[in-house]
Amino acid sequence: MEVEGENRWYQLAENVWSKSSSQPRKVRSEVIKTEIWDVLEKEDFDSRSLFQLENLQLFEKYLWPGYNDDSSNHHVLLIALMVTVKSREKLPAWNFFHSNVEGFSSLFRRVLSLGVDDSWPISLRTYLLGFLMSAFQSLDVGIVRKECAPLVSISIWHNLSSETARETKFEQHNQLRKAWRAATKRYDAAETSMQTRLKFERSWLFSMITDFINRIYDSQGSPGTVRYCERFLEFLTDLESQLPTRRYVNALLQDMNLLALIKLSPAYEREENAILRDLFALLRHFAEFPIDDHTGAQYSREDSYNFHCQALGRLQRNALKLFKSKLTILALSNYGAIDQRSDLHQHLSQLTETELAELCVALGFRTNYPPSINLKMTRELLLEILLMAHERRNTFQDVLRDLSVLPTEVDLYEPTLLRNESYDGTRSLAIPKLNLQYLTVGDFLWRSFVLYRCESFFEIRKNMEDTIKRLQPRMGDASSVVQFGGFSRMALPISKPRFGYCLAEGKLVANSVSSILEVAPPKVGSDQPAHVRTEVALDVSSLADHVRSEWDTLRPGDVVYLLAVRPQDDYPTVVNGHSVVYNHQMSSLLYLRTAEVVQVLDEDGRVVRDILEQAKGHVYRPRLRRLVLNVDASAYKLDKDRKSSEKPDVYEAINVIVRRRGRENNFKGILESIKSLALSEVSLPAWLQEVFLGYGDPAGATYTRLPNCLKSVDFRDTFLNWQHLVECLPGKSIEADENLKPDSGPPYVLETSTAAEPTTARPSRKRRRGEEEDLKPMKQIVKVSTYLSPNHGPYPTDALRKNKTRFTPTQVEAIVSGTQPGLTVIVGPPGTGKTDVATQIINNIYHDFPSQRTLMVTHSNQALNQLFQKLTLLDIDGRHLLRLGHGEEDLDSNLSYGKHGRVESFLDNRARLLSEVDRLAVNLGAPGAHGSSCETAGYFKSVYVDPAWSQFWDAVGPPDMEADGIVPLFPFHHYFQDAPQPLFPPGLPKEQLLDVAKGCQRHIDRIFAELEDIRPFEILRNSKDKANYLLLKEARIIAMTSTHAAIRRQEIASLGFHYENVIMEEAAQITEIENFIPLALQNPEDGGSPLQRIVLCGDHLQNSPIIQNLAFRQFANLEQSLFLRLVRLGVPIISLDRQGRARPSIAELYKWRYEKLGDLPNVLNGVEYKQANAGFQYDYQFINVPDYKGAGEVQPSPHFIQNLGEAEYAVAIYQYMRLLGYPASKISILTTYAGQRSLVRDVLEHRCAKNRLFGLPRIVTTVDKYQGEQNDYVILTLVRTSRVGYLRDIRRLTVALSRARLGLYILGRREVFENCYELKEAFDRLLKRPDQLMLVPGEVFPASRDLNDEAKATQMTSVEHLGQYVYEMTRAKITQISISNGALPTISNMELADAEMAGGDAEEEEGDIEQPEELDQ
């Protein structure tokens, strides 16, 4: 936001609406027309001015409060413009209208009227279209849906060409005739004014289409007209891509032959209108999508072909009837001979224009248009209508199958991709959007594949251009060989390979300089080689050790990039961070081919990984590395054809190899997973299908609506005691079982029943179809029973590990829902314990459904480790836990839960358990090597152990057996002699003695049960087979990140992996496709999915998935998560309502974002929460930081934003805290930009890293990367001094404010942030305190002062003031240490670890690009 006084919009805002006022401001027409509208019109509604006006809250403070029915058209248009800008920036656009619903309805109708008024400038009408598109994208908002629905209702069928056309539609679905009659009856019963409105609504879309047709057939179409037409095509595509809006619109577009009209229009044929043509292709994709427009059923490939044949049959019959002499061959040909466009064109070209028109009429196509459309029906148009209706169309699967997941230079510089990069919101893009609803699951997968592929290729091209720029290619002085004057750790030059030979399709052929070693024959059904193997030699002798180790750690399957690079001085490749090249021929990148690593070898042909493992820390300095690679086979085939046509050899020109960081380079596996799902008949559970697509009852997947809802559930240790149970079931009638005593503890079994009585219905009112009968809810009855937990054995390790968390009523509600079948959506605000809830749900499922398996998915490895850590504290057998993927090394446990770690653990347990068998054999006096294997142990159990137990139970079974006689009969005294003694305490009654014996039996049975589970690992010899057996048969709780699931989907599913439950943490941070793939990690069973439970935990009010490209983030909505979409759709959610992380005062900064968020007792009563922060007057403060050394924010490179004043201030606060004794591990420094993170680290390195008084803080990172983390004290730097930037997304500020437990100190520019409308609630609270840092001298950590105690404070007036203050404290500290002959404090191991973590993201620095901001140049 511009804040300089000379800015005209800022001055206008200051004079008219920015100043606070208790009275509503009166809107002055001269301000609207002269000072705002005329200026904008003169600028042709420049997007920068609109953005600034929106930032200055023109809409919130002036336009909407002052709107009424008498407002001018310019007033209405300005509101529409502001809403369009808000929608483009993904800011809340419709919430404000709820204050005046009637006013909004009036406004909406006026916008519709202005939209069809061609007297307004075309640029303005384009913005109005943007307003309407935003409305149709926001059908989850009730007031918007009410206004949009009539525009696409069945009434628009009044505009079909004839009654016959309508009747044809009615015959396809009987309910359509009923809907038509109902609409007609409503019109007839309406008053004259309402009839006028209904007429306008049903004709509005037709009028818009009519105007659009006239414009695309205008031979003198201006650039503004073309942009309007592009936007209108985007609007139609939006309507076609969602079933509720498509249902009647598609029939109207078909009736108007719109696709054929567009294709033959002058605008379509102009060479410069490439975007228009791409948008047409996208509209055609959706218009012809194989789906029943009314039921939503997707047509199979066979169904589509049958409809195609029916259309051809109808054509043949009419051809034979009307034009037998000319079309006999057409009429008698088989379908396969006439379903191609060329064949049809050849036959139909014989007809004259009149005959073509007659044939069109016979087939039901419109041939006459109203006079308002300036269109002449030509022979070409009639022919195109027939061809488009009868040619065989490729399905979206056919198109998808031909798209490669590996890029070449042509893919990276494809014009559509480049247009996406230059997106600024003013023009449409020909890419699909992720909507609120989808046509089918296949439609969702197709959109996701296209978008993810574009995003991946964008990232790859950005990396390649950055790498080439760093390498600085230039031509050698005395040769034509390209040399490199720079360096990149991610790339190495490739020297010319030697001449050689390769094995091509089984034959040894000359290899020239391509260095292709082997070309395997194609597989059956394929025309490309099975693999193409090459070898690249790399000189690594001059690389630093850490860089060489990065190359050495390349794994099989990793993707690398082979580049042909040339110097390019003629064209600038990058301007302001964006590529300006339009194809690869204008860039330094001549060719790009991808390859997969097969092996990394040394110069002697040894596998490097094996050498490094054997070296065990020994410094090994190789000279050469040989990379064995599989080149992209499809690209190789095209290159081979290219070479045969005497074009340059691609592989001869390759001179650079590039790698990317692993977390950025997962695109291939993910794209292959999406592609395979889209090409298969993937299915969701029947109970989830409609909810996922966005149709039907949003609550239809909740457990209360499902037929398999469990009436009785064992909640085990969810409730700590009876009082806790009663507290957690408010509003329910609790009935205790007759055997349940008042002091009985868990476990508790809950049986729920609900009764309802129908209310007396009014006789005159007929219940509508599908409307549920009104029910009067009765009080829910919960019957509680318990049971005696079995004795699990005499050893302390046999005792059950119980839950110790006292869950709140809302948490219990979430646990109850998650334990039941169906969909559970849990919203967890910061610190509300959603991880504990998810853990308890898993624990309940594990024990209540022992035959079921649970898949646990998170966004990050850290969250996965946190879940695992909590699971290990509960009564879950470690042998049933399995963690897939990397990141396990950060798990705080002595056990390994990865595949190979679990196998090793099984084998280690085997030895321990077999030794127990030997002890049992000694106890029973059984000779032989019974503990030699699992098989012999099983034999020993059946021959010796089981009979011993049977004999014991037979002996103690008679009712007259006395307690004194039981102990001598017990057969395993010797074995249990190491258990806590006495095993049978004297004086116990008979029942308790027998219970001890049963516990001993369970202990022994558990030994043999575990040995039986281990037995397959004795038989399986291959480590891979053992790992797969563990995944498929043994593990019951399988954990992985969403990325791992997406990469390994095909591999996991092909093994036959199956599961019934999915628990997904951080679900709101995961893109929708990565939400979806974990639901489809298994192949369908009996045509359906066996999933029974899906639990999504997350917080849509915190950060969404991070998407770098602005077009994909804002236009295509790729940052949408399934979690957020379900919330928008109205799926019932359970919002956790008690936080236990932050001081209540700090939590107040973000509580306003959540409904009824309260505090847990620990933050109200905990000692550390009541204590003040030593040395600070306040526990949180916003500190205004003016320009430092004459500067505020700077951008050393595009989007790399820094603020030296705030960096110095942050480090000074950190130093001050360390001098007072605050542990470094309890302090985190957060920034909103990666550039500032780098600057803070530099300042820390200079001032603190080598000074033992300070050391380094726990971590220095960005807010986005710290979501899910917390620390006691957080120093936050907001960086921006010219405009708010992307922090205007309140979700980011929510994350930033909720990371601190005890202290939060925010550095920023007050005048920038305090006036931002979206941030107002938070900053109103922050700025109630002084905006200069208030320090309390004479205190040390921890403070003895209470939080509410008064303290005399010293005000820090500037960065320099605080710096001088810290400097003097440091000198005093050193003097004190010297006088006392003390030594400087040593840096503990913990602080060393913290220092490593604080600098642990060093590898991110190269190519670490900020998330771009809109209009931030």
Side-chain angles (χ1 to χ4, degrees):
M1 177 176 61
E2 299 286 351
V3 297
E4 293 79 3
E6 64 269 21
N7 182 279
R8 65 171 177 270
W9 298 124
Y10 180 76
Q11 291 291 345
L12 180 64
E14 283 291 303
N15 295 332
V16 179
W17 67 80
S18 286
K19 295 178 182 178
S20 58
S21 172
S22 58
Q23 299 295 326
R25 294 179 181 82
K26 184 177 179 180
V27 174
R28 304 202 305 268
S29 58
E30 64 273 14
V31 172
I32 293 289
K33 178 65 172 66
T34 306
E35 299 190 48
I36 301 179
W37 180 264
D38 289 347
V39 176
L40 289 174
E41 189 174 31
K42 185 177 180 180
E43 296 176 343
D44 198 21
F45 305 99
D46 179 67
S47 58
R48 183 176 293 275
S49 290
L50 292 173
F51 184 76
Q52 290 175 354
L53 284 170
E54 193 282 321
N55 263 333
L56 291 167
Q57 303 170 44
L58 171 65
F59 169 72
E60 296 91 341
K61 291 187 174 182
Y62 193 65
L63 293 178
W64 181 240
Y67 173 79
N68 55 54
D69 291 344
D70 298 326
S71 296
S72 67
N73 284 339
H74 296 109
H75 190 157
V76 173
L77 292 170
L78 284 173
I79 291 177
L81 289 173
M82 292 299 99
V83 171
T84 303
V85 173
K86 279 182 171 294
S87 300
R88 182 192 304 166
E89 304 302 319
K90 295 296 181 183
L91 297 171
W94 307 105
N95 299 342
F96 309 96
F97 294 113
H98 285 92
S99 61
N100 185 0
V101 176
E102 291 183 1
F104 174 72
S105 181
S106 164
L107 171 78
F108 198 89
R109 290 196 300 275
R110 292 184 66 177
V111 171
L112 292 177
S113 300
L114 293 170
V116 294
D117 185 353
D118 59 7
S119 64
W120 294 100
I122 194 66
S123 57
L124 177 62
R125 294 187 64 194
T126 304
Y127 273 106
L128 291 179
L129 204 51
F131 173 90
L132 295 169
M133 288 168 56
S134 174
F136 276 96
Q137 290 286 314
S138 305
L139 296 179
D140 53 311
V141 182
I143 60 173
V144 177
R145 183 172 60 251
K146 181 181 177 182
E147 301 300 327
C148 290
L151 304 177
V152 291
S153 69
I154 196 171
S155 297
I156 67 174
W157 281 7
H158 278 280
N159 302 293
L160 295 184
S161 57
S162 64
E163 287 286 342
T164 304
R166 268 196 302 275
E167 285 298 321
T168 302
K169 297 295 182 183
F170 295 158
E171 289 171 3
Q172 295 173 0
H173 296 282
N174 289 330
Q175 69 270 24
L176 295 178
R177 194 183 305 276
K178 295 180 181 179
W180 177 261
R181 288 172 179 167
T184 304
K185 187 182 296 185
R186 181 187 174 211
Y187 177 81
D188 293 339
E191 296 178 356
T192 303
S193 59
M194 178 56 70
Q195 286 185 343
T196 302
R197 175 175 175 173
L198 293 174
K199 277 184 179 180
F200 174 77
E201 288 173 346
R202 74 191 189 192
S203 64
W204 178 82
L205 182 59
F206 183 77
S207 301
M208 295 288 287
I209 295 173
T210 299
D211 177 70
F212 167 73
I213 294 172
N214 287 333
R215 292 187 182 279
I216 60 174
Y217 274 85
D218 180 5
S219 58
Q220 303 297 323
S222 65
T225 300
V226 173
R227 291 195 176 195
Y228 173 83
C229 293
E230 291 170 355
R231 189 68 77 182
F232 190 76
L233 281 178
E234 181 192 342
F235 174 61
L236 291 180
T237 303
D238 287 348
L239 296 182
E240 289 276 33
S241 63
Q242 298 189 94
L243 193 59
T245 53
R246 170 196 181 91
R247 185 167 282 123
Y248 305 112
V249 170
N250 196 37
L252 178 61
L253 300 189
Q254 290 175 353
D255 180 77
M256 297 190 72
N257 305 311
L258 188 62
L259 293 178
L261 293 178
I262 297 172
K263 190 172 182 181
L264 293 185
S265 67
Y268 181 90
E269 294 174 351
R270 291 193 194 103
E271 182 180 356
E272 64 271 20
N273 293 342
I275 297 179
L276 187 74
R277 287 188 289 275
D278 291 343
L279 285 165
F280 164 78
L282 188 61
L283 173 63
R284 184 175 184 183
H285 162 84
F286 283 110
E288 297 176 348
F289 196 86
I291 186 178
D292 187 309
D293 293 339
H294 304 287
T295 66
Q298 180 175 339
Y299 296 135
S300 65
R301 185 182 297 272
E302 183 180 355
D303 293 335
S304 299
Y305 184 68
N306 288 338
F307 292 136
H308 171 65
C309 292
Q310 290 173 14
L312 287 177
R314 191 164 54 250
L315 173 66
Q316 288 180 318
R317 288 191 296 274
N318 282 279
L320 190 62
K321 177 181 177 181
L322 299 175
F323 311 109
K324 183 175 181 180
S325 60
K326 291 186 177 182
L327 299 181
T328 300
I329 297 177
L330 170 68
L332 299 179
S333 298
N334 62 64
Y335 295 146
I338 60 172
D339 66 353
Q340 299 299 317
R341 169 176 277 263
S342 57
D343 298 325
L344 281 170
H345 188 276
Q346 182 179 355
H347 291 294
L348 296 176
S349 295
Q350 303 175 56
L351 302 181
T352 64
E353 181 176 330
T354 304
E355 291 171 335
L356 286 170
E358 184 180 355
L359 181 59
C360 284
V361 171
L363 292 170
F365 296 112
R366 180 196 285 262
T367 56
N368 295 309
Y369 290 87
S372 58
I373 300 181
N374 301 320
L375 177 68
K376 181 181 178 182
M377 292 299 294
T378 63
R379 184 176 186 277
E380 290 75 16
L381 180 55
L382 293 167
L383 187 59
E384 185 62 32
I385 291 172
L386 291 170
L387 291 175
M388 292 188 75
H390 296 95
E391 66 181 335
R392 187 167 186 178
R393 305 161 185 163
N394 287 332
T395 65
F396 72 92
Q397 290 102 330
D398 296 329
V399 175
L400 203 61
R401 189 177 288 107
D402 295 334
L403 291 176
S404 171
V405 300
L406 295 173
T408 65
E409 73 285 349
V410 177
D411 298 317
L412 296 186
Y413 288 93
E414 201 274 323
T416 302
L417 196 62
L418 295 177
R419 285 198 297 268
N420 296 340
E421 184 176 348
S422 59
Y423 173 75
D424 61 1
T426 60
R427 298 196 70 170
S428 298
L429 296 176
I431 54 177
K433 301 176 184 177
L434 298 185
N435 291 341
L436 190 63
Q437 300 163 316
Y438 301 108
L439 298 178
T440 65
V441 174
D443 169 44
F444 162 70
L445 291 168
W446 175 82
R447 299 190 207 193
S448 298
F449 180 85
V450 172
L451 292 175
Y452 198 94
R453 181 176 182 267
C454 290
E455 169 75 0
S456 300
F457 287 6
F458 162 76
E459 292 293 336
I460 291 170
R461 181 167 58 81
K462 189 170 64 172
N463 286 158
M464 297 304 113
E465 289 180 349
D466 178 69
T467 300
I468 293 171
K469 182 180 178 181
R470 291 173 183 272
L471 288 175
Q472 301 175 19
R474 62 171 184 263
M475 298 303 298
D477 297 334
S479 68
S480 60
V481 177
V482 177
Q483 297 179 351
F484 299 95
F487 172 76
S488 170
R489 65 193 295 179
M490 310 304 291
L492 288 175
I494 302 174
S495 57
K496 284 272 186 178
R498 297 186 298 273
F499 282 77
Y501 292 87
C502 74
L503 190 65
E505 300 182 6
K507 299 179 180 179
L508 198 64
V509 298
N511 189 13
S512 181
V513 294
S514 65
S515 193
I516 300 297
L517 302 179
E518 180 186 2
V519 181
K523 295 181 179 179
V524 176
S526 174
D527 61 349
Q528 64 187 36
H531 67 256
V532 179
R533 188 151 297 170
T534 187
E535 184 178 296
V536 174
L538 303 176
D539 183 359
V540 296
S541 57
S542 61
L543 296 180
D545 290 343
H546 69 283
V547 177
R548 185 178 63 253
S549 66
E550 291 173 2
W551 285 93
D552 287 344
T553 53
L554 285 172
R555 299 189 301 269
D558 284 352
V559 176
V560 294
Y561 305 85
L562 304 174
L563 277 57
V565 175
R566 62 182 177 185
Q568 185 59 274
D569 300 325
D570 299 333
Y571 303 98
T573 56
V574 175
V575 173
N576 196 26
H578 295 287
S579 172
V580 297
V581 298
Y582 300 99
N583 56 63
H584 68 279
Q585 296 175 350
M586 294 172 59
S587 74
S588 296
L589 178 60
L590 188 60
Y591 303 118
L592 178 142
R593 295 295 177 266
T594 53
E596 286 189 47
V597 175
V598 178
Q599 280 184 327
V600 181
L601 309 175
D602 68 356
E603 56 266 38
D604 299 322
R606 298 175 297 174
V607 178
V608 169
R609 277 183 171 272
D610 296 342
I611 299 173
L612 295 177
E613 289 177 3
Q614 295 170 7
K616 295 181 179 179
H618 175 70
V619 178
Y620 172 63
R621 285 193 165 276
R623 185 185 64 83
L624 192 69
R625 284 287 182 260
R626 293 162 50 193
L627 266 61
V628 181
L629 308 171
N630 280 342
V631 179
D632 179 10
S634 59
Y636 177 80
K637 181 178 181 297
L638 295 175
D639 294 334
K640 187 177 179 182
D641 298 338
R642 168 194 175 99
K643 188 176 179 181
S644 63
S645 59
E646 299 184 354
K647 291 185 178 180
D649 185 356
V650 171
Y651 300 95
E652 184 178 347
I654 286 174
N655 53 4
V656 174
I657 183 171
V658 179
R659 62 183 175 87
R660 299 172 73 210
R661 293 191 292 270
R663 61 187 171 203
E664 297 175 347
N665 209 31
N666 296 323
F667 73 98
K668 179 177 179 289
I670 297 174
L671 285 175
E672 287 178 339
S673 295
I674 304 173
K675 188 173 183 178
S676 67
L677 285 170
L679 296 178
S680 64
E681 297 297 328
V682 63
S683 62
L684 290 171
W687 53 268
L688 181 66
Q689 181 92 4
E690 287 194 354
V691 173
F692 176 83
L693 294 177
Y695 311 128
D697 181 7
T702 54
Y703 75 94
T704 54
R705 303 291 184 91
L706 298 181
N708 61 338
C709 172
L710 302 172
K711 300 301 181 184
S712 177
V713 178
D714 181 359
F715 285 98
R716 299 178 55 79
D717 54 0
T718 302
F719 306 99
L720 301 184
N721 50 47
W722 178 258
Q723 182 185 358
H724 183 210
L725 184 146
V726 173
E727 291 173 357
C728 290
L729 301 176
K732 296 183 173 69
S733 177
I734 301 175
E735 296 181 359
D737 186 81
E738 57 184 11
N739 298 323
L740 185 66
K741 299 177 182 179
D743 59 346
S744 296
Y748 295 115
V749 179
L750 273 58
E751 183 178 346
T752 306
S753 60
T754 305
E757 296 178 352
T759 58
T760 304
R762 290 176 296 176
S764 60
R765 182 179 180 272
K766 187 176 180 181
R767 189 159 59 93
R768 294 183 179 181
R769 178 182 177 273
E771 183 181 3
E772 293 186 4
E773 187 177 6
D774 292 335
L775 297 179
K776 183 180 179 181
M778 303 295 289
K779 199 166 188 178
Q780 201 172 44
I781 300 172
V782 180
K783 295 182 180 179
V784 183
S785 60
T786 188
Y787 57 89
L788 184 63
S789 295
N791 188 320
H792 287 270
Y795 296 96
T797 55
D798 291 328
L800 298 180
R801 298 188 295 274
K802 294 184 178 181
N803 163 57
K804 298 178 181 179
T805 302
R806 191 177 185 87
F807 293 112
T808 66
T810 309
Q811 287 176 321
V812 168
E813 181 186 354
I815 293 169
V816 169
S817 179
T819 306
Q820 290 274 5
L823 173 66
T824 299
V825 180
I826 303 171
V827 176
T832 51
K834 53 183 176 289
T835 302
D836 291 322
V837 169
T839 304
Q840 189 62 29
I841 291 172
I842 295 170
N843 185 39
N844 288 348
I845 294 172
Y846 173 84
H847 289 286
D848 291 351
F849 309 98
S851 63
Q852 295 185 10
R853 313 177 81 208
T854 299
L855 179 65
M856 192 168 70
V857 180
T858 66
H859 169 63
S860 63
N861 280 307
Q862 176 200 343
L864 198 62
N865 289 338
Q866 289 176 353
L867 263 174
F868 241 82
Q869 202 70 46
K870 291 180 180 291
L871 282 175
T872 57
L873 300 177
L874 297 177
D875 191 40
I876 294 177
D877 196 328
R879 62 199 171 102
H880 293 145
L881 293 171
L882 177 62
R883 191 190 191 286
L884 301 182
H886 301 283
E888 187 202 7
E889 57 273 7
D890 297 326
L891 187 61
D892 185 15
S893 173
N894 295 325
L895 300 176
S896 173
Y897 291 94
K899 269 188 180 182
H900 299 292
R902 285 286 81 201
V903 171
E904 292 174 3
S905 176
F906 268 85
L907 297 178
D908 290 344
N909 286 341
R910 172 182 176 273
R912 178 180 60 80
L913 294 171
L914 289 177
S915 67
E916 295 296 303
V917 172
D918 286 334
R919 288 183 57 222
L920 282 169
V922 171
N923 178 94
L924 295 175
H930 300 291
S932 62
S933 68
C934 296
E935 183 178 6
T936 58
Y939 175 79
F940 169 72
K941 179 179 182 292
S942 61
V943 173
Y944 292 96
V945 178
D946 289 346
W949 281 117
S950 297
Q951 185 177 357
F952 171 74
W953 292 118
D954 289 342
V956 301
D960 58 350
M961 170 61 68
E962 297 293 334
D964 295 342
I966 294 176
V967 177
L969 295 176
F970 185 70
F972 295 98
H973 280 290
H974 179 74
Y975 175 77
F976 286 107
Q977 65 183 356
D978 60 342
Q981 299 297 323
L983 185 62
F984 296 95
L988 286 182
K990 176 181 177 181
E991 291 76 12
Q992 293 186 22
L993 290 174
L994 293 179
D995 186 57
V996 172
K998 289 177 181 177
C1000 293
Q1001 184 175 11
R1002 290 189 183 95
H1003 177 88
I1004 293 174
D1005 288 346
R1006 194 157 52 247
I1007 292 173
F1008 289 101
E1010 290 189 29
L1011 285 170
E1012 187 63 27
D1013 288 340
I1014 295 171
R1015 185 175 177 185
F1017 296 97
E1018 286 186 339
I1019 301 171
L1020 298 170
R1021 297 301 177 189
N1022 185 287
S1023 59
K1024 184 177 180 180
D1025 292 339
K1026 292 178 181 179
N1028 289 339
Y1029 179 85
L1030 182 68
L1031 171 65
L1032 300 178
K1033 299 295 183 182
E1034 192 62 34
R1036 288 177 50 199
I1037 299 173
I1038 302 94
M1040 64 186 75
T1041 63
S1042 57
T1043 302
H1044 184 84
I1047 296 170
R1048 302 294 181 188
R1049 189 264 161 194
Q1050 295 183 82
E1051 177 186 337
I1052 293 172
S1054 64
L1055 292 173
F1057 177 61
H1058 71 278
Y1059 53 98
E1060 289 78 20
N1061 313 297
V1062 174
I1063 313 293
M1064 199 174 299
E1065 254 272 44
E1066 301 181 314
Q1069 290 180 257
I1070 305 173
T1071 58
E1072 191 159 14
I1073 186 60
E1074 291 183 319
N1075 283 132
F1076 177 85
I1077 289 177
L1079 309 182
L1081 277 182
Q1082 57 191 333
N1083 295 321
E1085 293 181 3
D1086 301 324
S1089 171
L1091 279 180
Q1092 296 188 23
R1093 291 173 189 80
I1094 297 173
V1095 180
L1096 303 179
C1097 302
D1099 184 3
H1100 59 292
L1101 299 180
Q1102 296 188 61
N1103 279 350
S1104 61
I1106 296 176
I1107 305 298
Q1108 293 285 352
N1109 187 285
L1110 183 64
F1112 303 131
R1113 185 171 75 250
Q1114 288 191 354
F1115 181 87
N1117 205 21
L1118 188 55
E1119 69 172 0
Q1120 174 175 274
S1121 66
L1122 175 62
F1123 189 95
L1124 173 60
R1125 189 166 68 86
L1126 292 177
V1127 172
R1128 289 183 61 198
L1129 284 168
V1131 171
I1133 61 174
I1134 301 171
S1135 295
L1136 306 183
D1137 57 2
R1138 294 289 183 272
Q1139 71 87 23
R1141 172 186 296 171
R1143 294 184 195 269
S1145 55
I1146 294 176
E1148 285 296 328
L1149 298 174
Y1150 56 86
K1151 276 184 181 179
W1152 60 274
R1153 290 278 287 155
Y1154 303 94
E1155 186 178 359
K1156 299 178 181 177
L1157 179 60
D1159 300 307
L1160 288 171
N1162 69 301
V1163 299
L1164 297 173
N1165 305 319
V1167 175
E1168 62 181 346
Y1169 291 99
K1170 291 184 175 181
Q1171 285 179 334
N1173 294 340
F1176 294 93
Q1177 184 176 10
Y1178 300 106
D1179 52 351
Y1180 71 83
Q1181 244 191 303
F1182 176 86
I1183 302 150
N1184 184 46
V1185 181
D1187 285 355
Y1188 178 66
K1189 296 183 178 179
E1193 69 174 67
V1194 295
Q1195 288 194 59
S1197 61
H1199 310 300
F1200 200 72
I1201 303 172
Q1202 298 180 331
N1203 185 322
L1204 180 59
E1206 290 187 18
E1208 291 281 7
Y1209 213 132
V1211 173
I1213 293 176
Y1214 168 72
Q1215 290 177 300
Y1216 173 73
M1217 295 176 73
R1218 292 290 289 134
L1219 289 170
L1220 297 185
Y1222 285 84
S1225 62
K1226 294 187 178 296
I1227 305 172
S1228 295
I1229 301 179
L1230 305 184
T1231 79
T1232 52
Y1233 288 86
Q1236 184 75 347
R1237 176 191 63 192
S1238 299
L1239 182 59
V1240 171
R1241 286 177 178 170
D1242 288 344
V1243 177
L1244 283 168
E1245 184 67 27
H1246 177 68
R1247 301 196 187 283
C1248 303
K1250 297 177 182 178
N1251 190 328
R1252 292 188 177 183
L1253 282 175
F1254 304 119
L1256 294 177
R1258 176 75 179 89
I1259 195 169
V1260 179
T1261 189
T1262 61
V1263 170
D1264 287 348
K1265 293 187 177 180
Y1266 207 59
Q1267 181 163 343
E1269 293 281 339
Q1270 65 180 21
N1271 209 346
D1272 286 358
Y1273 307 96
V1274 169
I1275 303 168
L1276 171 64
T1277 160
L1278 301 181
V1279 186
R1280 303 309 303 269
T1281 59
S1282 63
R1283 56 179 63 87
V1284 176
Y1286 75 79
L1287 197 66
R1288 194 176 178 199
D1289 184 344
I1290 188 61
R1291 295 175 298 182
R1292 279 193 169 84
L1293 186 66
T1294 303
V1295 175
L1297 297 177
S1298 59
R1299 299 306 97 197
R1301 294 178 61 245
L1302 304 175
L1304 174 65
Y1305 301 96
I1306 306 170
L1307 308 172
R1309 185 66 58 88
R1310 175 171 181 160
E1311 60 264 31
V1312 170
F1313 292 96
E1314 70 176 331
N1315 292 319
C1316 178
Y1317 183 83
E1318 287 75 21
L1319 311 183
K1320 186 176 185 303
E1321 290 279 356
F1323 275 86
D1324 282 350
R1325 289 166 170 79
L1326 283 168
L1327 296 176
K1328 288 179 180 178
R1329 296 179 175 183
D1331 63 0
Q1332 291 186 325
L1333 183 62
M1334 306 297 291
L1335 303 182
V1336 178
E1339 293 187 336
V1340 293
F1341 178 87
S1344 58
R1345 172 171 51 96
D1346 285 342
L1347 185 62
N1348 297 322
D1349 290 349
E1350 293 291 332
K1352 186 177 180 181
T1354 300
Q1355 180 176 290
M1356 296 293 107
T1357 58
S1358 64
V1359 180
E1360 294 85 352
H1361 187 182
L1362 179 61
Q1364 182 64 30
Y1365 193 82
V1366 170
Y1367 172 73
E1368 291 173 0
M1369 285 183 64
T1370 305
R1371 291 188 62 184
K1373 184 81 170 180
I1374 294 174
T1375 302
Q1376 179 185 2
I1377 293 172
S1378 300
I1379 293 173
S1380 60
N1381 294 321
L1384 288 175
T1386 59
I1387 299 179
S1388 66
N1389 291 334
M1390 175 62 75
E1391 288 174 318
L1392 285 172
D1394 294 340
E1396 290 182 10
M1397 182 164 293
D1401 292 335
E1403 79 262 14
E1404 300 174 12
E1405 296 305 324
E1406 181 175 314
D1408 193 356
I1409 304 298
E1410 278 297 342
Q1411 176 163 311
E1413 284 192 56
E1414 51 278 13
L1415 300 175
D1416 212 27
Q1417 291 87 330

